[in-house]
């Protein structure tokens, strides 16, 4: 297996825990254990009683029952809980693919969605999100990317890093295309339930049938990355069984305290999501105002969901800009090069409480740029 460095994670490793303002985080503002437990009467006492032995490998029945409520037709035995969404991506790729398979991957995107497929022996074709089309994917391009050995399509909506939300018509067409061509559709939905207009929320992929696998996590919309609880939901028994069997070689089972806390969090997921969406909306207005005042420096396509945007720097080199900004002003932005983007974009995070202060610092920096 050949896995190159995860560019985004390596960039974060340099700065995440020693920089004052993370203005590029993909996860929303978190809460403390005590704040989370306070959301439910009796939860703090129950947490003290959590047994610290091994847990059920597929995830505790209570947690899986709670996760099911996110979906329309999914049963607890169709949920497999993992350590973060990252473990689920890893196991899915190795469960679903063999050498010389071909997969089509939404691009730019979260690196492991393409890289782990490559490490599993696949030939990967990027399916490009086009800025000139508001970061939309083109269905005609999908048809042209098809080969006889194509095994899967991998999409992510709401999208990291652009905040693009696929239209219902396109989404249904992608499912139809996957079904007609007997492809798997891996639908990374880790930013689902953070659509700015709830009417635009797409149905979960797994509810479309056996060809689809939905990926979920507590990290992003709900702001609980430290729990490291992710899952897949699928009616595809073959993929489920293979992933469950591979999990015996990675984490075996999940952290018992995290499973309990995730159960409490998901029972209160609407409250958590609304709190974070409120923050995103305020932050979007601040960024919109900044970009209007500095329209000579930035252009952007405002996101439609999730906690990120992918603006473009119009003057200078974005890597140098981010590097100087973090060193001089203590504000971290993520250059698009970590996504192999060559068009001067950078990732902006919208889900953190201190964004107004981070933007003040950024603006001070911009005055001399
Ligand atoms: C699109 C996407 N999928 C999966 C993940 C992995 O999530 P986690 O770090 O919670 O495992 C991320 C994290 O940034 C992501 O943006």
């Amino acid at each position: 297996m050949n896995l190159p460095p995860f560019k985004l994670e390596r960039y974060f490793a340099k700065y995440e825990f020693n920089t004052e303002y993370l203005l590029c985080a993909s996860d929303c503002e978190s809460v403390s254990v005590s704040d989370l437990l306070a959301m439910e009467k009796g939860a703090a006492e129950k947490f003290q009683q959590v047994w610290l032995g091994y847990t059920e490998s597929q995830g505790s029945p209570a947690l899986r029952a709670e996760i099911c409520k996110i979906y329309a037709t999914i049963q607890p035995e169709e949920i497999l809980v993992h350590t973060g969404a990252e473990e689920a991506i890893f196991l899915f790729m190795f469960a679903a693919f063999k050498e010389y398979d071909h997969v089509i991957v939404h691009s730019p995107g979260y690196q492991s969605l393409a890289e782990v497929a490559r490490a599993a022996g696949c030939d990967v074709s990027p399916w490009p999100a086009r800025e000139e089309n508001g970061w939309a994917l083109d269905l005609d391009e999908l048809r042209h990317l098809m080969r006889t050995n194509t095994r899967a399509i991998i999409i992510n909506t709401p999208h990291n890093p652009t905040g693009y939300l696929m239209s219902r018509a396109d989404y249904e067409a992608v499912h139809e295309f996957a079904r007609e061509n007997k492809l798997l559709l891996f639908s990374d939905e880790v930013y689902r339930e953070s659509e700015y207009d709830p009417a635009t929320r797409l149905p979960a992929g797994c509810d479309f049938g056996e060809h689809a696998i939905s990926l979920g996590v507590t990290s992003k919309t709900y702001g609980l990355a430290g729990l490291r609880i992710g899952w897949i939901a699928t009616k595809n028994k073959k993929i489920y069984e293979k992933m469950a069997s591979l999990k015996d070689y990675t984490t075996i089972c999940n952290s018992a305290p995290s499973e309990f806390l995730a159960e409490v969090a998901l029972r209160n997921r609407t409250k958590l999501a609304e709190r974070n969406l409120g923050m995103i909306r305020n932050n979007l207005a601040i960024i919109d105002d900044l970009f209007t005042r500095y329209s000579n420096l930035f252009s952007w396509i405002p996101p439609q969901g999730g906690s990120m945007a992918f603006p473009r720097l119009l003057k200078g080199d974005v890597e140098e800009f981010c590097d100087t900004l973090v060193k001089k002003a203590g504000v971290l932005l993520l250059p698009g090069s970590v996504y192999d983007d060559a068009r001067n974009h950078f990732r902006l995070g919208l889900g953190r409480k201190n964004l107004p202060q981070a933007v003040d610092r950024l603006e001070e920096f911009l005055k001399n740029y």
Side-chain angles (χ1 to χ4, degrees), residues 203-217:
C206 55
D207 285 318
F208 281 76
E210 265 186 42
H211 65 285
I213 297 98
S214 288
L215 178 70
V217 80

Side-chain angles (χ1 to χ4, degrees), residues 76-102:
E77 62 274 17
E78 294 165 331
I79 304 285
L80 184 60
V81 183
H82 293 81
T83 298
E86 188 73 311
E87 186 192 25
I89 292 172
F90 197 89
L91 296 190
F92 166 74
M93 304 288 179
F94 279 90
F97 306 136
K98 58 181 187 325
E99 223 179 339
Y100 310 121
D101 279 346
H102 172 242

